[in-house]
Amino acid sequence: MNEITIGTTLQVYDSIEELSTDIKDLMNKAIEARENAYAPYSKFNVGAALQLDNNEVIIGSNQENASYPSGLCAERTAIYYSGAKYPKAKILKMAISASSQNQVTDKPIPPCGSCRQAIAEYEIKQKQPIEIYFMGAKGKVVKSESLANLLPLLFDNSVL
Ligand code: THU
């Protein structure tokens, strides 16, 4: 038996003010997108903004449904729209901000497992890492150099 250890290195910024201007702008678009979340059931609003290599920015927010599993997270709303609208564009960066309607969300909220798997597909497709930045409504911002960093042992199409 051999044991393997899997580790990830992330960068943590004290606040949005510590980010470079381009990332700060992208995060502000994610924060703005959060306002368009349709979250009457969870009361948890999430916004995502993608910077593409064609200079376009795509935004998304979570869209819920009375039949709960039919809703979709902000990250997948954004990444699927990006794939549908600009199939040839590469996604360079993704910014995510989440905010509860019930309490102050002051810690970074990472994308859920399903969103990580969905984002991984596009990272593999474009053969280029996607930088991921995530935060709550305020406070620290976490940066991951790639999606793969957030999803060790990811499932990909090499085995199909
Ligand atoms: N949600 C997202 O939009 N992204 C995530 O990564 C985690 C969860 C949404 C889904 C649902 O509308 C609400 O947050 C509560 O789970």
Side-chain angles (χ1 to χ4, degrees):
M1 192 276 280
N2 288 319
E3 202 171 66
I4 56 167
T5 303
I6 299 170
T8 288
T9 302
L10 303 170
Q11 284 77 46
V12 182
Y13 298 84
D14 270 342
S15 81
I16 192 171
E17 298 310 321
E18 244 189 65
L19 300 173
S20 61
T21 312
D22 58 331
I23 302 301
K24 199 159 130 181
D25 289 351
L26 194 65
M27 186 57 87
N28 277 324
K29 288 188 175 129
I31 291 170
E32 234 175 87
R34 222 175 59 201
E35 299 303 312
N36 294 340
Y38 175 61
Y41 306 108
S42 72
K43 314 269 187 218
F44 193 71
N45 293 30
V46 186
L50 308 180
Q51 177 64 61
L52 309 187
D53 69 348
N54 61 4
N55 286 327
E56 297 287 340
V57 172
I58 297 285
I59 56 157
S61 54
N62 52 325
Q63 300 296 319
E64 298 186 348
N65 193 282
S67 173
Y68 293 0
S70 298
L72 196 63
C73 292
E75 296 89 328
R76 274 176 288 165
T77 304
I79 207 147
Y80 290 150
Y81 182 46
S82 170
K85 186 151 194 213
Y86 299 112
K88 297 210 170 87
K90 289 189 176 175
I91 301 157
L92 305 177
K93 299 163 205 285
M94 175 181 251
I96 306 158
S97 171
S99 177
S100 167
Q101 295 170 29
N102 299 321
Q103 56 181 309
V104 179
T105 307
D106 57 3
K107 63 171 195 196
I109 308 293
C112 76
S114 296
C115 286
R116 291 183 210 188
Q117 182 66 35
I119 301 164
E121 182 75 24
Y122 289 83
E123 188 165 273
I124 291 161
K125 175 185 163 218
Q126 68 181 30
K127 301 187 181 77
Q128 191 175 307
I130 301 173
E131 283 178 22
I132 317 276
Y133 296 80
F134 55 90
M135 68 179 294
K138 62 178 201 170
K140 293 189 192 323
V141 181
V142 174
K143 172 189 177 187
S144 175
E145 297 281 359
S146 71
L147 185 284
N149 273 352
L150 294 177
L151 189 60
L153 305 181
L154 67 83
F155 182 83
D156 67 29
N157 58 16
S158 64
V159 294
L160 298 179

